[in-house]
Amino acid sequence: KLPAEALAAHGAAVAARLEDANEYVRMAAVQTLGKLPAEALAAHGAAVAAKLEDAVAGGRMAALQTLNKLPAEALAAHGAAVVAKLEHPDEDVRKAAVAVLGKLPAE
């Protein structure tokens, strides 16, 4: 295993796999990005948030779980994309979206 700091050096290469044709590669890429230190993960937040529209529910769930690892300040930039998942037909996706939104501070 690579330490999180060493893995961060490969973040861009891992993020490139978010567009892989294979759903399992995309999910693994999202999960691997979730192991990055918070500041390194934040640099890929938009790419992870884009996976909320993945073709498979597992990809959407992985994206929500990874976004949940972002600090609240970085997560706030993707709040609208997460809110959209509150209407998702899959109850697990909706529950995960609620959990992620729970990290955001109240205004």
Side-chain angles (χ1 to χ4, degrees):
K1 286 185 162 182
L2 284 176
E5 295 75 27
L7 181 58
H10 305 288
V14 173
R17 299 286 37 102
L18 293 172
E19 300 306 320
D20 198 275
N22 184 286
E23 67 187 82
Y24 298 107
V25 173
R26 292 192 309 273
M27 283 191 293
V30 170
Q31 292 166 344
T32 300
L33 289 172
K35 295 177 183 179
L36 295 177
E39 54 283 347
L41 173 56
H44 303 290
V48 173
K51 293 293 102 187
L52 291 173
E53 300 303 324
D54 197 80
V56 295
R60 295 186 292 273
M61 284 296 296
L64 284 164
Q65 291 164 347
T66 296
L67 287 172
N68 203 24
K69 296 177 182 180
L70 283 171
E73 317 80 63
L75 178 58
H78 312 294
V82 176
V83 166
K85 294 300 137 199
L86 294 174
E87 301 299 325
H88 194 277
D90 183 319
E91 80 177 73
D92 290 330
V93 171
R94 293 192 308 271
K95 283 192 274 187
V98 168
V100 172
L101 291 171
K103 284 187 65 174
L104 294 175
E107 292 185 19

